[in-house]
Amino acid sequence: WRAVPRLHARPWQRGSGESGTVCRQQRGPRARRGGVTVNPIAELTKRESLTVVVTDSGLGGLAVAAEIERLARATGAYRTLRLVFASALPEARRGYNTFASQAAKVRVFDDALAEILAAFSPDALLVACNTLSVLLPRTRAAAGVPTLGIGELGAAMLAERLLEVAGSSAIVFAT
């Protein structure tokens, strides 16, 4: 088993205009193949080697990448795991929530994803950022790559736990 961690950080500056097309695509966890419903993330568990890109608009995704590496090493799930952290920070002093519109955020994130995916050709993409997870379904660049956003993953884990304990409730704090 071999992990190949990488740190890739680059500002994604493509102007500050807000023009651009937003493509609304569903990236649900399941796809149809030959009349059979397939979970592309589950399909990845059958491989011996895997390249996963973890992206975030900050550095919190590094902790997510570290946990993936720890779990993969502990389980021995893959002979080779290439784990890449790629920052999707748009500018050094400007985060996504400073953009004037949702369309501008989507355009900048879509540009970042296109460059990240071209550079690393991952088998899977994990978006470890609440803000970017919300933007993910509106991007075009990640079409065809199994993706998972931290928002949907967190919601699924929370729902599972709430169903296990009758009468339970939860408070969610997120940015």
Side-chain angles (χ1 to χ4, degrees):
W1 188 90
R2 191 183 81 156
V4 183
R6 281 189 146 172
L7 175 63
H8 176 76
R10 178 174 169 193
W12 307 103
Q13 301 176 13
R14 297 231 182 193
S16 58
E18 294 185 20
S19 63
T21 324
V22 176
C23 180
R24 296 181 187 272
Q25 294 179 326
Q26 293 297 321
R27 274 197 207 6
R30 303 195 184 283
R32 303 281 298 171
R33 188 183 311 145
V36 177
T37 301
V38 177
N39 180 335
I41 299 294
E43 290 289 309
L44 296 174
T45 62
K46 299 174 183 174
R47 302 177 69 161
E48 286 190 25
S49 65
L50 186 68
T51 298
V52 177
V53 166
V54 178
T55 190
D56 195 339
S57 63
L59 296 176
L62 285 170
V64 173
E67 183 65 6
I68 291 170
E69 190 276 336
R70 185 189 72 74
L71 290 171
R73 187 177 300 276
T75 62
Y78 301 99
R79 183 169 3 133
T80 303
L81 174 63
R82 181 174 176 230
L83 191 55
V84 180
F85 175 79
S87 175
L89 182 66
E91 297 174 21
R93 292 192 169 113
R94 184 177 188 196
Y96 284 88
N97 290 326
T98 63
F99 287 96
S101 71
Q102 189 83 343
K105 293 176 190 179
V106 170
R107 182 188 48 76
V108 171
F109 183 42
D110 202 30
D111 287 348
L113 282 178
E115 290 193 34
I116 290 167
L117 297 174
F120 300 107
S121 302
D123 300 305
L125 171 70
L126 174 61
V127 179
C129 173
N130 289 327
T131 300
L132 300 182
S133 289
V134 171
L135 300 177
L136 183 62
R138 295 176 179 89
T139 63
R140 291 174 284 147
V145 176
T147 60
L148 186 59
I150 201 78
E152 63 188 340
L153 180 60
M157 291 172 67
L158 180 60
E160 182 180 317
R161 182 67 178 148
L162 289 172
L163 290 173
E164 287 175 3
V165 181
S168 62
S169 60
I171 298 174
V172 177
F173 296 94
T175 59

